[in-house]
Amino acid sequence: MKHVISINDFRKEEIFDQILVGCESWVEHAKDRKISNCPEKKATFAFFEPSTRTRGSYMEAARLLGWSSDVIIGEEATALSKKESMANAGRMLAIQGADVLVMRTKIEGAQRFIAEILEEENFETSVQNGGDGTNQHPTQTFLDLLTIRRFQGRLDDLKIGFMGDLKYGRTVHSLLCALAHRENISITLVSPPETALPKQYKNLFPGEITESESLEPLCDCDIIYLTRIQEERFTLDPMALQRISEKYRIDKKILKTLKQGVMIMHPMPYVTEITPDIRREKQIIIDKQAWCGIPTRMYTLNEGYKNRKEISLPQINQESKIDTILELSLEEYFKRKSATQTVNRYFMPITNGTVIDHIPQGLGLKIRGFLLGSGGSIKGVKHTIEDVPSKKHQVKDVLVLENSFLPNELMAIISSFAPMVTFNIVGNENFQKVKIKAPSIITGIGKCPIKNCITNNDPEANTKFTHSNSNLKCHYCEKEFDREEVI
Ligand code: NCD
């Protein structure tokens, strides 16, 4: 392990057999508080959002390891406040000797983007994500798992309730990504509709989720993971906030209804989620949980340092594959086609150019716009024919590019957004029908709808989308979208 960017970057065995075992192995050292002496190793902690536990435990971990460290708190302390880009800020911290660079940002995907830049430019720096907006908080997940394993004794066969802000709370998102690897975990989600868990995380647990706006389903949970309403990330009127604060909290009365031996966790800070009268009850294990941050981060600092010279980011396959489905002389093609009604009724066949067929209904104009705009500035006459009856899809759009031929990369991009399209290429008295298997990552096209995604905040950051089921997933902020939302 070199970088720690997202739980989704690790396989099950890495998380549970290597990382978690590794974190556990630092527990005694963290308890002893013996200080090692390695001032030549340097950690830089750049926290552009407030933090007490993550920053503090990373610093304590660095102190116990005997490292030198540098702490930057708030964008205002840096040239980011003079509109310097994240990319240049990251480069500078690496130039100034960060062996491990820990960053907390409001911008989502900033850490992945900086890790990629530093690796491409041969810096030997491990980048660790101390929380990126609403996306991920992987070291919090490691310490949460360490807490569960230490105090609950197991990581399988658990009923876990999550309560509070499940929409914007990154600690919940990261932890769910890890728990999805375990056996027999049933998840109970308790939140107001305003902060309900996004579908992409629910999909990690098919058939094992209970969702509720009231607290009752928490009563048979082994673990309850509370979270704070992330007021800073969305607008909520004060009345709604008060209603939520009064309802979504654990007090003495509720504690009595919970399962014997329940463990109440919270990444902290908490505001109203735990009432003062139960703060010292044995079920509230939040102080022990927060302490687990120290051995956890001793491990990630040490491991990041050990592997800082590795090339670790996945090399993504950008190749696309062309399949020729049909090849005929134009004469033969026309002979076959003249019998079918569609061509005659909806458009005149062309003798030179490209017809993009089987476009899902409604996407034709968007693809046309893309071809005319930044995507390709394709010359030639373009007709979009909408709502054409289709055997395969009932109704489809068709795009006719007379005297225009698309480079393979452009056909691959179109196929990424509309995987079912075929390209009819007509020219030199020849007809060819091809289909393109899109590359696994689509670069530089479309726009990520998330305002705080790094791709909307750094001029060097290109959009990158990967395929996730039938959706596209932003490689940086890790949110999933319908194809239409992105193009
Ligand atoms: C959380 C965070 O910053 O995501 N805290 C933490 O790191 N321990 C939770 C929060 O801010 O509510």
Side-chain angles (χ1 to χ4, degrees):
M1 181 190 85
K2 173 182 174 181
H3 304 298
V4 186
I5 310 286
S6 164
I7 292 296
N8 293 321
D9 295 339
F10 301 109
R11 285 173 295 109
K12 177 180 178 178
E13 299 70 36
E14 281 178 283
I15 300 174
F16 298 99
D17 302 340
Q18 293 169 25
I19 297 171
L20 211 49
V21 172
C23 295
E24 182 87 56
S25 74
W26 286 93
V27 165
E28 286 312 312
H29 191 150
K31 275 189 191 159
D32 287 352
R33 310 191 77 219
K34 275 205 211 87
I35 298 179
S36 314
N37 188 25
C38 306
E40 72 283 6
K41 301 180 185 173
K42 179 175 175 181
T44 299
F45 304 115
F47 277 72
F48 302 132
E49 278 194 328
S51 173
T52 301
R53 272 143 292 269
T54 306
R55 179 177 45 80
S57 61
Y58 255 119
M59 287 175 65
E60 177 64 357
R63 190 183 75 85
L64 294 175
L65 292 169
W67 291 25
S68 310
S69 52
D70 194 1
V71 190
I72 301 158
I73 299 176
E75 281 191 10
E76 59 288 358
T78 72
L80 288 170
S81 64
K82 300 179 185 172
K83 299 191 180 160
E84 180 170 49
S85 69
M86 274 283 176
N88 283 331
R91 284 183 180 105
M92 196 46 58
L93 299 174
I95 288 169
Q96 291 166 349
D99 293 307
V100 178
L101 170 59
V102 182
M103 294 179 75
R104 168 170 285 193
T105 58
K106 174 178 88 184
I107 301 301
E108 304 186 10
Q111 292 78 348
R112 184 179 302 286
F113 170 61
I114 286 173
E116 286 173 350
I117 288 196
L118 297 185
E119 215 156 89
E120 279 159 20
E121 296 175 13
N122 301 319
F123 287 100
E124 292 171 354
T125 304
S126 151
V127 178
Q128 305 196 3
N129 179 3
D132 62 325
T134 68
N135 181 32
Q136 283 269 324
H137 194 346
T139 59
Q140 177 71 40
T141 293
F142 298 153
L143 79 87
D144 288 341
L145 295 171
L146 183 62
T147 308
I148 298 174
R149 185 176 271 175
R150 284 171 64 75
F151 301 107
Q152 197 49 280
R154 65 186 194 279
L155 284 164
D156 296 310
D157 308 309
L158 287 168
K159 195 162 173 148
I160 309 183
F162 286 86
M163 180 162 90
D165 193 338
L166 315 183
K167 182 169 181 184
Y168 301 101
R170 54 195 173 201
T171 61
V172 173
H173 302 161
S174 284
L175 184 53
L176 285 172
C177 292
L179 289 171
H181 291 295
R182 305 302 309 188
E183 302 296 318
N184 197 20
I185 301 284
S186 69
I187 299 287
T188 299
L189 305 172
V190 174
S191 77
E194 293 93 326
T195 60
L197 186 73
K199 201 159 128 233
Q200 75 180 83
Y201 301 105
K202 285 193 228 167
N203 289 345
L204 298 170
F205 297 88
E208 296 154 273
I209 292 208
T210 309
E211 228 180 328
S212 164
E213 279 180 43
S214 75
L215 277 59
E216 279 90 63
L218 295 176
C219 66
D220 60 347
C221 287
D222 303 301
I223 295 171
I224 299 175
Y225 194 96
L226 302 175
T227 57
R228 174 182 69 89
I229 298 294
Q230 309 276 300
E231 272 181 80
E232 68 277 32
R233 307 207 189 275
F234 68 117
T235 33
L236 191 62
D237 77 76
M239 295 288 281
L241 183 63
Q242 188 170 349
R243 173 179 54 81
I244 294 169
S245 311
E246 281 167 14
K247 182 167 173 187
Y248 296 96
R249 65 179 191 194
I250 305 284
D251 59 14
K252 211 165 212 142
K253 205 165 125 227
I254 296 195
L255 191 64
K256 282 199 184 118
T257 67
L258 302 178
K259 190 172 171 177
Q260 187 80 6
V262 64
M263 217 168 85
I264 298 180
M265 299 175 71
H266 195 308
M268 297 214 263
Y270 73 81
V271 187
T272 50
E273 304 86 82
I274 297 170
T275 55
D277 54 341
I278 61 162
R279 177 66 175 87
R280 294 181 187 169
E281 296 296 337
K282 61 177 184 314
Q283 295 95 325
I284 311 285
I285 58 143
I286 56 179
D287 295 329
K288 291 183 177 132
Q289 179 187 359
W291 182 86
C292 283
I294 301 169
T296 296
R297 285 153 183 150
M298 288 172 87
Y299 172 77
T300 63
L301 284 175
N302 204 55
E303 203 63 19
Y305 181 87
K306 269 202 316 217
N307 299 314
R308 69 195 185 285
K309 296 182 189 207
E310 253 181 35
I311 299 295
S312 77
L313 293 169
Q315 302 298 305
I316 299 160
N317 166 27
Q318 298 244 28
E319 297 270 296
S320 49
K321 197 174 152 283
I322 303 188
D323 260 340
T324 303
I325 304 170
L326 183 68
E327 189 155 14
L328 295 171
S329 72
L330 203 52
E331 200 188 336
E332 175 62 21
Y333 173 67
F334 280 144
K335 224 186 267 169
R336 288 192 192 180
K337 271 290 163 186
S338 62
T340 71
Q341 290 193 345
T342 326
V343 169
N344 297 333
R345 206 169 339 135
Y346 292 92
F347 47 86
M348 285 292 294
I350 53 169
T351 52
N352 192 56
T354 310
V355 176
I356 311 177
D357 200 359
H358 300 296
I359 302 173
Q361 188 186 21
L363 217 59
L365 278 173
K366 284 195 167 182
I367 294 179
R368 179 179 193 266
F370 164 68
L371 288 172
L372 289 170
S374 58
S377 323
I378 291 299
K379 294 190 184 64
V381 186
K382 293 157 198 77
H383 309 287
T384 317
I385 302 154
E386 294 177 86
D387 306 338
V388 180
S390 154
K391 272 189 232 141
K392 273 193 205 157
H393 308 292
Q394 293 186 326
V395 207
K396 64 182 178 182
D397 291 351
V398 177
L399 197 54
V400 183
L401 313 179
E402 192 158 22
N403 302 323
S404 273
F405 297 93
L406 304 178
N408 291 353
E409 310 83 72
L410 220 48
M411 290 199 284
I413 289 164
I414 294 170
S415 304
S416 308
F417 289 106
M420 58 298 286
V421 300
T422 54
F423 298 87
N424 297 343
I425 303 165
V426 191
N428 293 334
E429 298 300 313
N430 193 49
F431 171 89
Q432 217 189 356
K433 187 195 277 290
V434 302
K435 217 170 155 45
I436 314 265
K437 192 169 172 332
S440 59
I441 190 151
I442 311 158
T443 306
I445 300 301
K447 187 172 159 58
C448 178
I450 300 298
K451 195 172 97 260
N452 283 339
C453 176
I454 186 72
T455 56
N456 294 317
N457 289 277
D458 193 298
E460 285 185 58
N462 269 326
T463 57
K464 281 187 191 167
F465 295 100
T466 53
H467 303 270
S468 174
N469 306 318
S470 58
N471 292 331
L472 292 177
K473 181 172 179 178
C474 175
H475 169 69
Y476 293 104
C477 71
E478 304 187 39
K479 306 274 190 297
E480 288 182 15
F481 308 99
D482 288 341
R483 293 187 151 76
E484 292 75 12
E485 287 180 82
V486 163
I487 195 172

